[in-house]
């Protein structure tokens, strides 16, 4: 995915998540919902896009659907 395809709103949401979790904390969909005040579907979509852009990595052993920022 090209970074030009990312909307201003998505960039803003990713920034808010980074500020909330940094590179150390592990987070999942429920954490994204809590921080951004969005519903499950857009939270899942955002997590998928962040992963496909290489901004996050999946964490094994912490439960299903857990991520951490890598940049």
């Amino acid at each position: 995915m090209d970074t030009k395809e990312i909307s201003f709103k998505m960039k803003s949401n990713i920034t808010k998540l980074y500020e909330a979790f940094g590179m150390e904390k592990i987070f999942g969909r429920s954490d994204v919902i809590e921080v951004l005040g969005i519903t499950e579907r857009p939270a899942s979509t955002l997590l998928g896009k962040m992963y496909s852009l290489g901004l996050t990595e999946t964490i094994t052993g912490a439960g299903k659907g857990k991520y951490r920022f890598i940049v």
Side-chain angles (χ1 to χ4, degrees):
M1 178 183 286
D2 190 354
T3 54
K4 291 180 219 151
E5 296 176 33
I6 302 174
S7 68
F8 174 79
K9 177 124 178 113
M10 185 179 293
K11 285 181 187 177
S12 173
N13 284 339
I14 292 170
T15 301
K16 286 178 190 173
L17 293 175
Y18 189 82
E19 288 170 354
F21 304 118
M23 292 183 65
E24 302 301 317
K25 292 185 183 170
I26 296 171
F27 58 93
R29 183 174 65 185
S30 60
D31 301 307
V32 173
I33 291 168
E34 185 178 323
V35 170
L36 299 179
I38 57 178
T39 59
E40 290 181 8
R41 187 165 191 144
S44 295
T45 301
L46 180 59
L47 283 169
K49 288 187 179 181
M50 288 168 39
Y51 181 76
S52 69
L53 288 168
L55 300 175
T56 58
E57 64 182 354
T58 56
I59 304 299
T60 54
K64 185 178 177 204
K66 299 298 182 189
Y67 299 88
R68 177 173 53 206
F69 280 102
I70 56 174
V71 290

